[in-house]
Amino acid sequence: MKQTWRWFGPKDLVSIDDTRQAGVTGIVSSLHHVATGAVWSPDEIAARQSDIATMKDGSPSGIAWDVVESLPVSEDIKKQTGQWRDHIEAYKQSLHNLADAGLSVICYNFMPVLDWTRTDLAWVRPSGATCMRFDLVDFAAFDLHVLKRDGAADDFDDTLRDEATARFEAMSEAHREDLAKNVVFGLPGAAESFTLDDVRRHVAEYSAIDEDRLRRHLIDFLEEVAPVAQARGLRLCCHPDDPPVPLLGLPRIMSTEAQYRKVMQAVDLPANGITLCSGSLGARSDNDLPGMMERLGDRVHFLHLRNVKRESDALFGSFFEDEHLEGDTDMVALIAAALNEEDKRRAQGRDDWSIPFRPDHGQDILDDLHRKAQPGYPAIGRLKGLAELRGVIAGLQHGRPQT
């Protein structure tokens, strides 16, 4: 399992020098400054590779850009409106340019409007660490009383609506503003940012798009780009919905094993694959992460290893980002399944037998609390998680037959 680390570019407060000290062997990055729908040019790709390959003092880092996360899919493509056909052609050209530069693993997602959703970006734990959290009552308060989305009341039962109203009425204006900022924060480092009016407009544009239609749009997209990826030796891997339940009246199509199977079968090419994120999928109680790794493993091209703790047994409920070996996902069983998949690939002679993974998210601890890096991406918290994951891998590999 190849150890990688997400890096948001030269403005990231966790530097390439830091990643070198963490001992990773590859970087996961993106061209966040390039507008969604535009072509990633060879020059821009080369510049990011140079950034990653160079330490602060100008010496070689010895680390390469291994995984692209993300090559974003535009809202026009997801809705099949506006310039969506032009954006698909731009996406294909970006794939060609990435292949020419030697990159092979391309992570993306097909979540409408927001890439991920949390209500608190720095929830304080009993240890003094902070983490990201999704509080269902806070989210309902946002949807009902801050965003004031049409039809929001139909998505929550009477008890939850009453709790959300009481919670909202008890909030200070500053708390309400912070809640709104947290919910629309989306993916850190993205070129675009949303105001509440933007969110209302984008959500309204999906009013006629249900789960089946959005899945059809994803399949249409993949029928265009997956053959390009296949021909160029690239591996596309779709990140799951986060959280893996419908939000804001928007459809979700990559939240369960059954949903992944539909898309994998519809475009049945090895290049059409999966980013198995144990945190995103683990927020849903009916997802069996080790089982998904066993059953879908031949199409898993990238692993995000993190853990969440669900705060109830409800399918749609509150959760927080727990430590990597805590939470509700059996991380040891998941890693064991990943190592077994690697054994199968080696036996089959696959060049992609080593599955890249990164310690996804992490709690802010120690100096992280003062550094204030991207929410979810602290230096020390992720290093702690990586060290724990390394320990699991080393323990499971001990005594295994070496090939």
Side-chain angles (χ1 to χ4, degrees), residues 60-209:
S61 69
I63 306 174
W65 186 6
D66 277 349
V67 179
V68 174
E69 185 183 352
S70 296
L71 180 58
V73 180
S74 72
E75 290 296 304
D76 280 0
I77 292 175
K78 294 171 188 175
K79 295 177 294 186
Q80 291 195 356
T81 58
Q83 296 180 293
W84 72 280
R85 294 186 186 278
D86 292 337
H87 289 179
I88 286 181
E89 292 307 310
Y91 206 96
K92 292 178 184 178
Q93 187 58 55
S94 295
L95 292 178
H96 282 297
N97 294 343
L98 288 165
D100 289 343
L103 287 130
S104 58
V105 181
I106 318 294
C107 176
Y108 70 99
N109 77 69
F110 218 78
M111 284 179 269
V113 185
L114 298 175
D115 284 352
W116 53 258
T117 305
R118 299 290 185 271
T119 57
D120 196 330
L121 304 183
W123 191 53
V124 180
R125 302 294 296 130
S127 66
T130 64
C131 67
M132 297 200 294
R133 180 173 184 246
F134 178 87
D135 184 299
L136 180 57
V137 178
D138 274 358
F139 179 79
F142 165 81
D143 199 7
L144 292 164
H145 301 294
V146 179
L147 190 63
K148 299 179 181 177
R149 176 176 61 88
D150 290 342
D154 297 333
D155 290 348
F156 308 106
D157 61 30
D158 292 344
T159 300
L160 184 52
R161 285 198 301 269
D162 290 344
E163 289 181 18
T165 298
R167 180 80 59 85
F168 177 77
E169 290 175 348
M171 290 179 185
S172 66
E173 188 59 34
H175 187 174
R176 294 172 183 177
E177 290 176 0
D178 285 343
L179 175 61
K181 290 177 183 176
N182 292 344
V183 171
V184 303
F185 193 85
L187 182 66
E192 297 85 8
S193 60
F194 291 145
T195 66
L196 286 179
D197 284 341
D198 291 332
V199 174
R200 293 185 187 102
R201 176 172 54 84
H202 281 295
V203 168
E205 289 170 352
Y206 278 90
S207 60
I209 300 177

Side-chain angles (χ1 to χ4, degrees), residues 214-225:
L214 185 63
R215 183 182 299 109
R216 183 65 255 172
H217 291 180
L218 171 56
I219 291 169
D220 289 344
F221 166 72
L222 287 169
E223 286 175 342
E224 291 283 341
V225 303

Side-chain angles (χ1 to χ4, degrees), residues 195-262:
T195 66
L196 286 179
D197 284 341
D198 291 332
V199 174
R200 293 185 187 102
R201 176 172 54 84
H202 281 295
V203 168
E205 289 170 352
Y206 278 90
S207 60
I209 300 177
D210 60 9
E211 179 182 328
D212 288 340
R213 184 174 171 189
L214 185 63
R215 183 182 299 109
R216 183 65 255 172
H217 291 180
L218 171 56
I219 291 169
D220 289 344
F221 166 72
L222 287 169
E223 286 175 342
E224 291 283 341
V225 303
V228 174
Q230 186 74 24
R232 295 304 310 270
L234 303 175
R235 300 188 292 281
L236 299 173
C237 38
C238 190
H239 189 282
D241 304 318
D242 187 7
V245 291
L247 296 178
L248 302 176
L250 298 166
R252 295 298 217 190
I253 58 170
M254 299 303 260
S255 294
T256 67
E257 181 174 349
Q259 289 177 327
Y260 266 102
R261 284 190 182 279
K262 287 181 180 179

Side-chain angles (χ1 to χ4, degrees), residues 5 8 24 34 50 56 61 64 73 103 111 144 152 170 184 187 189 204 223 250 281 299-300 324 333 337 348 351 355:
W5 186 276
F8 291 101
V24 299
V34 177
S50 177
K56 289 179 180 178
S61 69
V73 180
L103 287 130
M111 284 179 269
L144 292 164
V184 303
L187 182 66
E223 286 175 342
L250 298 166
L281 293 166
R299 299 284 272 274
V300 172
H324 284 74
Q348 295 166 355
D351 292 335
I355 304 172

Side-chain angles (χ1 to χ4, degrees), residues 262-309:
K262 287 181 180 179
V263 174
M264 298 303 108
Q265 291 169 357
V267 184
D268 194 10
L269 292 172
N272 176 27
I274 299 166
T275 296
L276 197 154
C277 177
S278 58
S280 299
L281 293 166
R284 184 168 170 140
S285 59
D286 59 348
N287 279 332
D288 167 21
L289 273 299
M292 290 178 72
M293 186 67 226
E294 292 172 3
R295 293 182 289 271
L296 303 178
D298 65 326
R299 299 284 272 274
V300 172
H301 299 322
F302 188 29
L303 282 164
H304 287 182
L305 298 182
R306 64 180 172 91
N307 224 323
V308 300
K309 180 65 178 178

